[in-house]
Amino acid sequence: MTGQTAKIESRCDGCGGTLVRQVNQFIDCGQLWWDAEASCATCGDGWCEHPEAGRPPEAVRSALLAAHGPSRLRAVGPVPNLVPVLRVLREVWEMPLSQARELADELAHAGLAGTLTEMEFLHTRLRSRGVAAEVTSDAGPEGERIPS
Ligand SMILES: [Zn+2]
């Protein structure tokens, strides 16, 4: 199972201690999911956020990106037909066509940036529709290859 996790710290409403919210993004049964679990070490307060499919809230995404750095998904070679790319993007993110077009353009040229889990998920979906792409890390200037 591909996945990443990050921790978001905030102040506990109950006791003023440190509340740690662990957020997870993962791929399971061919779907992209996120969930979270929060707990306060001082008073023991806590809760679970059950898995939800699709793109996580921005706070969750930015915590994952801050913890692991962005990954990049770039098409290998020219993309003669953007239709399968647009279809995958809209299936995965449920976005309007105009936004999907922008992202498809990024994918075909500079590469699309996001969390590793998201990029791996898109990678798999694109491959199943015959679009060749590769996932790289944005860590170095050259980008470090992530073996898939
Ligand atoms: Zn507390």
Side-chain angles (χ1 to χ4, degrees), residues 12 15 40 43:
C12 174
C15 73
C40 173
C43 71

Side-chain angles (χ1 to χ4, degrees), residues 11-19 39-46:
R11 200 161 167 275
C12 174
D13 284 339
C15 73
T18 305
L19 187 79
S39 68
C40 173
T42 310
C43 71
D45 196 15

Side-chain angles (χ1 to χ4, degrees), residues 2 27 73-76 84-85 88-89 91-92 107 119-135 145-148:
T2 303
I27 299 167
L73 180 69
R74 189 184 286 129
V76 176
V85 178
V88 166
L89 288 169
E91 276 171 11
V92 172
L107 182 94
M119 297 302 103
E120 289 285 1
F121 182 64
L122 281 173
H123 186 203
T124 307
R125 296 290 278 256
L126 287 169
R127 194 167 48 203
S128 73
R129 290 188 183 271
V131 181
E134 64 177 3
V135 179
R145 284 258 340 230
I146 298 166
S148 51

Side-chain angles (χ1 to χ4, degrees), residues 1-7 22-27 32-35 56 60-61 63-71 114-120 137 146:
M1 197 166 82
T2 303
Q4 280 183 322
T5 186
K7 287 185 163 68
Q22 182 178 328
V23 298
N24 313 295
Q25 190 179 37
F26 53 97
I27 299 167
L32 185 68
W33 301 90
W34 73 274
D35 67 9
V60 173
R61 279 193 95 223
L64 290 165
L65 288 168
H68 302 281
S71 292
T115 69
L116 176 65
T117 314
E118 291 166 0
M119 297 302 103
E120 289 285 1
S137 145
I146 298 166

